[in-house]
Amino acid sequence: MTLPPTTCRSKFSPYRPWNATPSRLLIMARLRQGPCPVGELADAVGMERSAVSHQLRHLGLVTGDRQGRGIVYRLYDDHVAALLDEAVHHIEHLRLGAIDRPAAGVG
């Protein structure tokens, strides 16, 4: 999964309380690619380390493993990855004007 475009990031925020800012979506999207320490996350999303650390404290869907003096973060599990994929897919459909309607009798 590549980092979503700016239009997608800004529209995604209201849909998930755990993703209250577009920067959290960037962090989650980077972690979707695999585990990452804060410094690499900061470089990948174009933020200061302290700002990334602050956002990570508010993301309940990530976990960290201490490695030496640092922590390597990752998405909590495959369900979180699937949720992220579906949310980005949904926003892209909205951006493009495409609407997926549930099949009759579903929902």
Side-chain angles (χ1 to χ4, degrees):
M1 175 180 181
T2 59
L3 294 179
T6 302
T7 54
C8 179
R9 294 191 307 256
S10 62
K11 290 182 180 180
F12 182 85
S13 298
Y15 291 94
R16 293 279 156 222
W18 52 266
N19 192 45
T21 67
S23 60
R24 290 184 190 172
L25 177 57
L26 283 174
I27 292 167
M28 297 282 287
R30 170 52 192 88
L31 291 175
R32 177 69 178 92
Q33 298 171 15
C36 191
V38 173
E40 287 180 33
L41 274 173
D43 291 342
V45 301
M47 295 173 59
E48 297 292 327
R49 290 174 68 125
S50 60
V52 171
S53 293
H54 175 79
Q55 295 299 331
L56 287 166
R57 284 192 291 276
H58 297 284
L59 286 171
L61 301 176
V62 300
T63 187
D65 300 311
R66 182 158 296 280
Q67 291 187 0
R69 291 178 27 191
I71 298 175
V72 175
Y73 290 91
R74 61 181 170 80
L75 295 181
Y76 188 79
D77 60 19
D78 290 340
H79 295 106
V80 174
L83 176 65
L84 180 61
D85 291 346
E86 284 296 318
V88 170
H89 180 76
H90 172 69
I91 295 304
E92 276 299 294
H93 271 205
L94 291 177
R95 186 180 68 80
L96 296 171
I99 300 173
D100 290 340
R101 299 277 184 218
V106 176

